[in-house]
Amino acid sequence: MSAANVIEVRGLRTQFGDHVVHDGLDLDLRRGEILGVVGGSGTGKSVLLRSIVGLIRPRAGSISVLGRDVGALSGAAREALERRWGVMFQDGALFSALTVRENVEVPLRAVPGLADADRRALAGLKVSMAGLPVKACDAFPSELSGGMRKRAGLARALALDPEIVFLDEPTAGLDPIGADAFDRLIVALRDALNLSVFLVTHDLDTLHSCCDRIAVLAEKRVLTSGTMAQMLQIQHPWVHEYFHGPRARAAMSSRRKGD
């Protein structure tokens, strides 16, 4: 595994019954970058994320994370690797019966010897880092707005000081102002914590504002990857329409005004 990469996927094949989602998929996440993963409906963006973190077992291929073969690990070795990444699923995926602080404490409970008071204090710190007010710690998910639930999910993903953060559609359903604030937060956290970020999104504004590189899923594989400037030169029909269509032009115009 290259020292420049924190994730390497090679020859990945995932399928459910007779339905093949990925076939021969290769992907790298470089250390310290924000990688945006895009693709049409049904191309398996979230399936890829879940395969990398071990929630879905691929039929073939290899997945290496931080130099370890994910498929070959079990027990304590697997748990040790999982503590080095954090995952924010769509809409936060919070436990509804727990407060925000208690949700963030869940992964911290696996840390041996961590006192209750220290665990509570660390959870509060992560909530603040995610941009939530202190009073949100004692709120239940049902009492939060969609944007606040996403931030709470991000706080839980950051609980164990991970090296990699996986974000699944972090700005979906947010208003433009809230989405822009979340994009800025992702970049600020990456810079402050030296994170590597695997970001599944369909949000063109997010791709423009915070992604260093973009990977396009199509035809059951990563069709192409590169910077936004490189994406604009790709002539594949779907890629061209995605990055040159009306929504893309609006995102580019908005980005220029922001600059």
Side-chain angles (χ1 to χ4, degrees):
M1 182 171 182
S2 169
N5 297 331
V6 293
I7 295 175
E8 288 185 357
V9 179
R10 296 290 182 268
L12 187 72
R13 180 182 177 91
T14 53
Q15 66 184 92
F16 304 98
D18 295 330
H19 177 57
V20 178
V21 181
H22 305 130
D23 192 12
L25 185 151
D26 296 336
L27 178 75
D28 295 333
L29 174 64
R30 299 169 185 167
R31 189 174 303 277
E33 80 170 347
I34 300 175
L35 176 70
V37 179
V38 303
S41 178
T43 54
K45 301 180 293 295
S46 294
V47 170
L48 175 58
L49 185 158
R50 292 168 184 266
S51 298
I52 294 172
V53 301
L55 296 178
I56 295 174
R57 189 174 184 85
R59 293 292 182 92
S62 65
I63 300 172
S64 296
V65 179
L66 297 167
R68 308 298 302 274
D69 182 346
V70 174
L73 297 178
S74 61
R78 176 57 185 264
E79 292 175 5
L81 179 61
E82 289 178 349
R83 285 197 291 270
R84 299 174 69 185
W85 70 56
V87 185
M88 192 200 91
F89 294 105
Q90 292 186 31
D91 200 38
L94 302 171
F95 297 109
S96 60
L98 302 181
T99 65
V100 168
R101 187 195 302 273
E102 289 168 343
N103 266 280
V104 179
E105 285 187 58
V106 168
L108 291 167
R109 292 183 181 278
V111 178
L114 185 62
D116 290 349
D118 292 336
R119 187 177 63 245
R120 284 179 55 83
L122 280 172
L125 173 62
K126 302 302 180 180
V127 169
S128 296
M129 288 172 61
L132 288 171
V134 175
K135 65 181 181 180
C137 286
D138 298 320
F140 289 92
S142 61
E143 299 172 323
L144 303 177
S145 67
M148 293 179 75
R149 285 195 300 273
K150 288 177 182 289
R151 287 176 182 264
L154 177 60
R156 187 174 62 187
L158 296 172
L160 296 176
D161 296 328
E163 297 169 57
I164 304 171
V165 173
F166 296 88
L167 306 176
D168 194 355
E169 298 283 7
T171 58
L174 298 184
D175 63 83
I177 295 175
D180 180 67
F182 205 101
D183 289 342
R184 293 176 186 273
L185 175 63
I186 293 170
V187 174
L189 289 171
R190 185 277 304 272
D191 294 343
L193 304 177
N194 194 30
L195 297 172
S196 304
V197 182
F198 183 102
L199 192 160
V200 172
T201 187
H202 67 276
D203 191 328
L204 284 154
D205 288 316
T206 294
L207 296 175
H208 278 281
S209 63
C210 71
C211 292
D212 301 300
R213 208 162 49 91
I214 299 163
V216 179
L217 268 60
E219 301 172 8
K220 301 178 183 179
R221 59 190 175 90
V222 173
L223 182 70
T224 187
S225 64
T227 64
M228 177 59 75
Q230 291 170 324
M231 292 299 103
L232 295 174
Q233 303 303 315
I234 303 296
Q235 295 305 307
H236 182 278
W238 188 90
V239 178
H240 187 272
E241 177 62 23
Y242 186 84
F243 288 102
H244 290 270
R247 292 173 68 88
R249 290 194 294 271
M252 291 177 68
S253 176
S254 176
R255 178 64 176 160
R256 291 192 193 102
K257 292 177 181 177
D259 291 341

